[in-house]
Amino acid sequence: HASPNSFKSEVKNILITFGGADPNDLTRKVLALIMNFCRENNIKIQIVTGTAYQYIDELEQEIKQLKDLDIHYTHATGIMSQIMEQTQIAITSNGRTVYELAHMNIPSIVMSHHERERTHSFTKEENGFMHLGVFKGSETEKSILPALERLVTDKSHRRLLYDRLIQFKFNENKEK
């Protein structure tokens, strides 16, 4: 019952979520890479982890130390759409969440945890996503911040991705 987002010229909220387990702990890696940029641009960070996430204590400690950064952390939520309603950009893995993001009109940076996940072909530029491929450590880490900076500062590119997303509505799939 969530309302898909309308385009906003300014980015105020970013969502970081990497599925139920996040076996590569991409949540904390991405947070470390983008936190200064978000601080400098007054962007709130929404973090959602799943039920099998094993680095909760470490993540919570890191968040506590970042008092000057606006971070909202949720663990094992049943309703992501309420968080997505407030989000202009997401950074996520290549699982089922990308369909929710598409439905909610949220341009996203996507990384696959492994080769099998990379075979999910929906997350491509023509569908409104910036897919960085399979996560390969520092090689992939070098591309995350530039991708985010582009989505935040290049409104025309973000608008192009947004426009490509608005065609996707999955209400009937949920009913089925």
Side-chain angles (χ1 to χ4, degrees), residues 66-172:
L66 299 171
K67 294 179 171 114
D68 62 332
L69 194 56
D70 191 358
I71 299 176
H72 184 262
Y73 172 58
T74 305
H75 176 71
T77 183
I79 304 174
M80 286 272 284
S81 56
Q82 290 176 345
I83 294 168
M84 289 179 183
E85 283 180 317
Q86 305 166 36
T87 302
Q88 290 81 51
I89 296 172
I91 305 174
T92 189
S93 55
N94 198 11
R96 289 176 291 198
T97 300
V98 298
Y99 296 101
E100 290 179 83
L101 291 165
H103 181 85
M104 295 296 291
N105 304 332
I106 301 171
S108 303
I109 299 166
V110 179
M111 289 168 273
S112 297
H113 282 292
H114 43 71
E115 284 296 327
R116 183 189 55 76
E117 196 174 82
R118 187 185 62 77
T119 65
H120 303 169
S121 61
F122 180 67
T123 54
K124 50 191 166 192
E125 189 106 4
E126 63 219 46
N127 288 342
F129 297 95
M130 295 177 75
H131 194 277
L132 303 181
V134 176
F135 180 77
K136 294 183 177 166
S138 62
E139 181 183 326
T140 306
E141 289 175 1
K142 289 176 188 173
S143 61
I144 295 169
L145 184 57
L148 177 62
E149 288 173 343
R150 182 173 185 203
L151 281 178
V152 171
T153 61
D154 186 347
K155 290 178 199 167
S156 63
H157 181 67
R158 187 164 37 89
R159 180 64 193 229
L160 174 68
L161 297 179
Y162 172 89
D163 288 343
R164 291 175 176 175
L165 288 165
I166 57 176
Q167 67 179 315
F168 299 109
K169 298 297 166 239
F170 299 109
N171 294 2
E172 292 178 21

Side-chain angles (χ1 to χ4, degrees), residues 18-26 29 52-55 113-114:
F18 285 98
D22 187 8
N24 296 310
D25 197 15
L26 296 177
K29 291 173 183 168
Y53 184 66
Q54 297 180 18
Y55 308 95
H113 282 292
H114 43 71

Side-chain angles (χ1 to χ4, degrees), residues 14 34-43 45 69 148:
I14 292 173
I34 71 166
M35 64 184 185
N36 289 334
F37 178 79
C38 290
R39 183 182 295 115
E40 292 164 5
N41 290 280
N42 199 29
I43 298 172
I45 301 172
L69 194 56
L148 177 62

